[in-house]
Structures are given as structure tokens and as C-alpha cells.
Amino acid sequence: GYLVDARMSLEKLLRQLEFTGPEEELEVETVGGWVLTHTDGAVRPGVAVPFGEALFTVADAAGRRVRKVRVTLPLTADAG
């Protein structure tokens, strides 16, 4: 996985990782903002939310602020 700053642009993250998330989710600007909108407000380390086939896991948080997020991309299946 990748450890990213929660203030990173979601669009930039997807571009750098060459990963396409759900199109409708790109209305949120930052990785941390996306996590906040998809949790019940309980953002503490270990809270994970699916993003398409990837998984965003809170790695560091303070109060209601997400600081770091671990991004785990789906494993690609080997045909051979």
C-alpha cells in the first residue's frame, strides 16, 4: 500500500497511481475529505472505507481531522 497525506488531491492520487476510482466520488477534493464523507465521523486509525476496488485506511487522525491515509490497491490476477 501507499501512505499519503490526507490533504492530497484525490484526482492527483488517482493519476499518480494510475488507478480509476468510482467517477461519482471525485466531487470531493482531498483523500481525507473523501474518507470523512464515507464514515460516521469516527475517524481513528484503522477505520477503512472501500474506494472502488481499492481500500482507504486511516493511518493517522486527530479529532475529526484525517492526517494520513493508507491506500491499498486491488491485486491484479495473474493469468499464468
Side-chain angles (χ1 to χ4, degrees):
Y2 302 88
L3 188 63
V4 299
D5 190 307
R7 295 173 297 181
M8 180 180 213
S9 157
L10 187 56
E11 189 175 326
K12 180 179 179 182
L13 172 71
L14 296 179
R15 203 168 45 244
Q16 285 184 350
L17 297 181
E18 298 178 352
F19 179 72
T20 304
E23 288 298 320
E24 69 277 5
E25 304 299 353
L26 297 182
E27 294 174 8
V28 178
E29 291 243 342
T30 64
V31 175
W34 188 90
V35 170
L36 275 174
T37 62
H38 290 82
T39 62
D40 59 4
V43 287
R44 62 191 176 283
V47 170
V49 288
F51 181 81
E53 294 181 10
L55 189 65
F56 287 0
T57 305
V58 176
D60 185 24
R64 288 187 49 85
R65 182 169 170 251
V66 180
R67 291 183 174 171
K68 298 279 184 191
V69 175
R70 180 163 304 282
V71 178
T72 307
L73 296 178
L75 295 175
T76 55
D78 260 343

